[in-house]
Amino acid sequence: HGPKTGQGFIPQCYLLSHLAGECDSVQINPWWILALWDLMLTTTNNSLRFYLILAVLEAHAEQIASLTGDELKEKLEKVLSFQPDDVSGDYSIQDEAEDTTNHDAVKWVQMWTDKAQLLWERTPVTVSKRLRRLEDKAVTQALMKRKEELEARMKKKLEAEAKAQQAAMEAEKERKADEARLRLTRARLVAFYRQHNPGKETNIEKIMEAYQGRYEILDAKLKQKYGVGFNPALKPKVQPQRQQIAAAPAATVPKND
């Protein structure tokens, strides 16, 4: 059961990650890992890993049967990682790595395997076949989910890259437009002073710098002084969306004749 049901759960990564030596932050004795994986890689019984876990759970059935929720989860993590327990048993004594020899590990895994093998022999073949089908289904679903997640991440990444590229293109376009407007403004200002005050032509750069970004103010002052402006190339102002809607022509409703 999932954690939302309040019935506890066996960690989903246990069959794969934990039998490989680690599940979340819990690790199995390294000597046990080597002996266990020697067995897992050489056995011809594809169902053995299920019964290895069942053998562990069976040894602690009385302790976990009455637990639910977080208590069950905590107990399962302790049991399935072979940590020391209040009740010592075949699967509740976790030796320190430095105190364990390869011979001890092989002996321990063999004891565990014998119990799992006995469970397997007592289980109908149809159940084992169903377990394998369910495993195949679970693996397929996991791979499909991983594929979907990878595709979703790739799509998100591509969309972000496309958005960034579009933004960069628009920024470059705007930069070039600003440069064009600046060149046009300068040319118009030169022509203006050449006509109305030729002595100012030598000060064009200083005037442009003084009124940078405020050429409309310069234009207003020149209009006030000379009666005409120089018509700077200003950046178009973007109207707020509400004003755009208000300025849009109303739809013409045909009149009845």
Side-chain angles (χ1 to χ4, degrees):
H1 296 282
K4 292 183 179 180
T5 64
Q7 301 300 317
F9 64 94
I10 296 177
Q12 296 179 2
C13 61
Y14 188 80
L15 277 173
L16 300 177
S17 300
H18 199 45
L19 289 185
E22 182 175 354
C23 180
D24 297 330
S25 60
V26 179
Q27 294 186 347
I28 299 179
N29 185 309
W31 284 106
W32 294 359
I33 298 172
L34 295 175
L36 177 59
W37 274 91
D38 280 344
L39 169 67
M40 298 297 291
L41 295 174
T42 57
T43 183
T44 57
N45 185 347
N46 294 330
S47 302
L48 185 60
R49 56 189 175 279
F50 298 113
Y51 294 98
L52 287 170
I53 295 176
L54 288 177
V56 178
L57 295 177
E58 185 181 54
H60 297 82
E62 293 183 2
Q63 301 173 48
I64 64 178
S66 60
L67 300 178
T68 60
D70 291 338
E71 290 184 351
L72 177 58
K73 179 179 181 294
E74 183 179 351
K75 184 65 177 180
L76 284 173
E77 289 178 347
K78 193 172 184 179
V79 168
L80 294 174
S81 59
F82 311 100
Q83 297 180 30
D85 205 338
D86 296 334
V87 180
S88 297
D90 293 336
Y91 307 107
S92 61
I93 302 176
Q94 170 74 294
D95 296 328
E96 294 296 331
E98 58 270 19
D99 296 332
T100 304
T101 64
N102 183 54
H103 175 75
D104 294 333
V106 171
K107 183 179 179 181
W108 174 83
V109 169
Q110 187 59 55
M111 176 190 66
W112 184 16
T113 305
D114 290 343
K115 291 182 178 293
Q117 185 73 20
L118 182 61
L119 284 174
W120 175 74
E121 292 173 355
R122 285 161 33 190
T123 303
V125 176
T126 54
V127 174
S128 296
K129 289 183 178 180
R130 178 168 174 77
L131 284 173
R132 288 196 294 271
R133 287 197 300 270
L134 290 174
E135 181 193 23
D136 291 341
K137 182 179 179 181
V139 170
T140 300
Q141 290 176 342
L143 292 176
M144 288 298 297
K145 184 177 180 180
R146 179 178 295 182
K147 179 182 177 182
E148 292 171 358
E149 291 175 348
L150 288 173
E151 290 176 348
R153 286 199 294 269
M154 181 60 67
K155 181 180 178 182
K156 187 176 180 180
K157 180 181 179 181
L158 292 175
E159 289 176 349
E161 290 177 350
K163 187 176 180 180
Q165 184 178 8
Q166 182 65 26
M169 291 174 62
E170 291 178 357
E172 179 63 15
K173 181 180 178 181
E174 187 60 30
R175 184 188 66 80
K176 291 181 178 179
D178 286 340
E179 290 179 349
R181 283 191 289 267
L182 184 62
R183 289 193 298 269
L184 182 57
T185 296
R186 186 183 186 284
R188 288 177 178 177
L189 187 59
V190 169
F192 177 87
Y193 278 118
R194 186 172 295 166
Q195 180 180 355
H196 297 283
N197 192 347
K200 289 281 188 178
E201 283 190 55
T202 56
N203 295 331
I204 290 295
E205 297 302 332
K206 291 182 178 180
I207 296 172
M208 291 282 292
E209 183 177 351
Y211 286 92
Q212 183 178 5
R214 302 181 301 124
Y215 297 125
E216 68 279 6
I217 297 176
L218 175 60
D219 188 53
K221 288 183 177 181
L222 293 178
K223 282 182 181 178
Q224 185 178 8
K225 183 175 182 179
Y226 297 98
V228 63
F230 75 103
N231 188 26
L234 302 177
K235 185 176 181 178
K237 294 182 179 180
V238 179
Q239 289 184 339
Q241 188 174 3
R242 292 183 178 179
Q243 292 183 11
Q244 290 179 1
I245 295 175
T252 303
V253 179
K255 297 181 179 179
N256 295 328
D257 294 335

